[in-house]
Structures are given as C-alpha cells and as structure tokens.
Amino acid sequence: MNKILSYIRSSAKAQSILIWSVIYTVGFIQNLWISVEWSLKVGTLNFICMVAIYYTTHNILIPRLLIKERKILYFIFSIILIVLFANICARFELYMLKELAIETDQEFKFVFSISRFTTIFILIYAIANIIFFSRKSAEDARLKEKLLSEKKMLEARVLKSQINSHFIFNALNNIYSMTYFKDEYTSGYVLKLAQMMRYVMEDCETELTPLSKDIEYIHNFIDFQKLRFENDKDITFVYKNEEDTNICVPPMIFQPLVENCFKHTPLEVDKNSFIHILLKVEKKQIYFVAENSQPLIKNKPLANGGGIGIENVKRRLDLYFENRYSLEIFNNPDSFKIELSIDFESSQNASYDGNA
C-alpha cells in the first residue's frame, strides 16, 4: 500500500488516472437514480467529452495557438470545441430520454441540457488552462533557477580565474635571483612556491576550500613579497581561530585584498609605510581586516575605494554569501583599510549550487 501511495505521489500520470477515475465514478453514481443503462451510456459520453475538451485545450489549443500569440484562433476554436461537445451531449441525452420512454418537455429539456453541459465544459476548459499555466510557471521558475545557478557558478569561476595572473612569474623571478646569488633559503622558497601552485591548480578547482589552506597560501604569498626587500618592513599578518570547527570559504577570497595592500603601498620608497593584516574567527564569524599606508600619489580607483581586485571580491561575496557578509572600506588620508565579516554559521549550509 505504501509503495502504491509513493508511486502516485511521484507520478503525474498516475495522479491524472486517479483524478479522472474519481470524476467518472462520481458521474456514474449521480446518474444511477435514472437507470444503470443511463449511467453507462450518458455518463460515459459526458466523461469522454470532458476528457477530450481537457486534453485538446491543454495539449493543442494552448501550446499551439495561445502560447504562439494566435489568440483570436485560440478563442474561436475554444468556443467551437465547447459548443460542439455540449450540443452532442445534450442531443444524446434527449435521445436516451426517448429510448427509455421518459416523458419530458423536449424543447425545454434541450435548452436546459445544453446550458448545463456548456457550464460543465467551460469549467473543464478553465481547469485545463489553470493547470497548464501553473505547470508552466513552475517549470519556468525551475528553469530560471537552474540557469541562475549555472550563471553563478560560471561567473564565480571566471572571477576566480582573474586572481593571481602575474604573481607566479614574479615569484619565479625572485627564486631565480636567489639561485643566482646562492641564497641558502632558495630550496625552502621553491617548496613554498610548489605548495602555492598546487593550491591554485588543484584546490582552487573546488567551489569551497578549507580556510586553513587559504591561510597557508596567504602566508606563502607574504613571504614571497618580503623577498623584494633587503630590510625588514612593517608587514604583519595575524591569524586567530577561536572556533573548533572546520570552516570552508571560496578559494582565494581574501587574496585580492592582500595583493592590493602590496600593490598600492610604497614599501620601496617610504620607510614609514606599513601593511597590517588580521584574520580572526570567533562567534561563528570570520573577521578580516587589511590596512596599508596610502601611496604617495593616489590613483583614482584606490581613491574611490574600488579597483578590479576589490570589485572581484565583492562580486564573489555576493555570489556565495548574498546578505550574510559585510564589507566596509575606509579611505583615510594616511591609510586604506578594509574590514570584511562573514557569517559562516549560516553560509556553511548555503544552498549555492557551486558547492556540489
């Protein structure tokens, strides 16, 4: 019994058969007070006409005429269909009354019968329209959601591919310089670069990655940036995690913000320049703060709090977290600061299709 109920719930065809069976049975029982023969003949013809009107409207008139903006033909054929079947059923009913020798006013009975059948068939016609457009709306919504999900996933991958376009080449140049001068730390940096390339080429292929891997990448990135300078610079990166849980984020979601710090900070020419980065996890929130000294000459994108890197991050945050994050930019005279917070408790269960 449970299997049958389960099949009916999951099968539109089974549901249609069940509904039509109920309609036929009810019509048959209602006409039994006249006679069994009346119920079999008149009831069956009425049922066949209802089925014909429903499926002609649902499968032919609406998709081939109404949907294709041929509305005049649609209404003409609809009227013909209803009047034709109402006339057939009314005349057959009068014929059966005569066959069964049931006395009645023929003219009055015909007008009454054709009015009754017209009303019934208009109702069936309306139901066919309602069901068609209900299913179409549901299918359109499902298709729209599917296309939106695919668009989100594709856009997220495109945005991700824009990250880190030239860093690997700079890192290789730095390692080449170290090799040329026989630096004792060369092998360690080669290993760091290999780890970074593995992360970009393999782990970044997934839509979400453990936060710990992103942190490791940032550490390696900062180490490579420090290679550009002979003296220590005021560059700090602090990571604190007070949550005993596995956290996943979109790969390299923080990297453009970190890269912007090094891109716009005059570390080579200003001894007072600085980069301070903090990433903290607490109370089901990820807090990221990046602050750097302003360049000696501001460029327009940075002055406006924008730039490709930040816009990239904003778009990816919208795609993955929607309204579960906040991003604030402080463009002060002496420093540029970004504060990002993400509610990872709710976002971990996000229904974003890219997680699959």
Side-chain angles (χ1 to χ4, degrees), residues 224-241:
F224 271 101
Q225 292 295 336
K226 288 180 178 180
L227 285 176
R228 294 158 46 197
F229 313 109
E230 295 181 2
N231 302 319
D232 290 338
K233 297 292 182 178
D234 188 4
I235 302 171
T236 61
F237 173 47
V238 179
Y239 172 55
K240 299 178 181 178
N241 191 343

Side-chain angles (χ1 to χ4, degrees), residues 72-327:
I72 295 177
L73 284 177
Y74 168 74
F75 285 114
I76 290 173
F77 280 110
S78 297
I79 292 170
I80 292 173
L81 183 71
I82 292 171
V83 172
L84 175 64
F85 280 110
N87 191 60
I88 290 172
C89 289
R91 292 188 180 280
F92 184 74
E93 193 171 72
L94 290 178
Y95 168 77
M96 287 301 300
L97 287 171
K98 187 176 180 180
E99 282 290 310
L100 296 174
I102 299 175
E103 294 184 5
T104 183
D105 185 338
Q106 294 291 314
E107 184 177 349
F108 172 78
K109 182 62 180 175
F110 178 76
V111 173
F112 175 77
S113 293
I114 200 167
S115 300
R116 179 164 56 88
F117 285 119
T118 300
T119 302
I120 292 172
F121 295 157
I122 288 175
L123 179 62
I124 296 297
Y125 169 82
I127 291 173
N129 276 268
I130 292 170
I131 291 176
F132 180 90
F133 285 105
S134 296
R135 289 177 177 174
K136 187 176 185 302
S137 297
E139 180 64 20
D140 289 347
R142 186 193 65 79
L143 182 60
K144 183 178 179 181
E145 183 66 26
K146 181 181 178 182
L147 291 174
L148 183 61
S149 296
E150 290 176 354
K151 179 179 177 292
K152 280 186 174 183
M153 186 164 57
L154 178 61
E155 189 169 353
R157 287 174 178 170
V158 171
L159 289 168
K160 188 170 64 179
S161 70
Q162 295 174 0
I163 300 170
N164 201 40
S165 59
H166 62 278
F167 170 71
I168 297 298
F169 296 103
N170 290 339
L172 287 170
N173 286 332
N174 288 332
I175 290 176
Y176 172 77
S177 298
M178 295 173 69
T179 305
Y180 183 80
F181 291 106
K182 299 185 177 357
D183 194 307
E184 59 182 309
Y185 299 107
T186 302
S187 60
Y189 280 102
V190 170
L191 179 59
K192 285 178 181 288
L193 181 59
Q195 292 171 341
M196 295 175 71
M197 293 184 68
R198 184 179 298 110
Y199 177 68
V200 173
M201 302 301 246
E202 297 179 4
D203 295 323
C204 286
E205 288 301 310
T206 61
E207 296 306 322
L208 294 175
T209 189
L211 177 61
S212 58
K213 291 189 176 182
D214 231 38
I215 299 301
E216 182 182 1
Y217 183 91
I218 293 173
H219 273 300
N220 289 334
F221 178 87
I222 292 174
D223 286 344
F224 271 101
Q225 292 295 336
K226 288 180 178 180
L227 285 176
R228 294 158 46 197
F229 313 109
E230 295 181 2
N231 302 319
D232 290 338
K233 297 292 182 178
D234 188 4
I235 302 171
T236 61
F237 173 47
V238 179
Y239 172 55
K240 299 178 181 178
N241 191 343
E242 299 178 7
E243 296 285 343
D244 185 19
T245 182
N246 293 323
I247 306 169
C248 289
V249 295
M252 302 180 76
I253 192 69
F254 308 108
Q255 175 59 20
L257 305 180
V258 175
E259 193 167 346
N260 268 356
C261 290
F262 287 93
K263 182 178 179 182
H264 298 290
T265 304
L267 293 166
E268 296 91 342
V269 296
D270 185 0
K271 64 178 181 179
N272 295 318
S273 60
F274 64 88
I275 296 175
H276 298 158
I277 300 170
L278 169 67
L279 201 157
K280 182 169 61 173
V281 182
E282 65 176 6
K283 297 179 181 178
K284 307 301 180 184
Q285 294 276 335
I286 299 174
Y287 299 98
F288 176 86
V289 180
E291 184 175 14
N292 61 276
S293 52
Q294 288 279 18
L296 299 177
I297 300 176
K298 295 184 182 180
N299 55 39
K300 263 191 173 180
L302 188 61
N304 294 330
I308 295 175
I310 294 176
E311 289 304 314
N312 184 306
V313 172
K314 285 181 179 178
R315 192 71 187 106
R316 293 186 73 200
L317 288 168
D318 287 336
L319 290 172
Y320 284 95
F321 302 110
E322 296 181 352
N323 60 344
R324 299 184 298 274
Y325 80 93
S326 67
L327 179 65

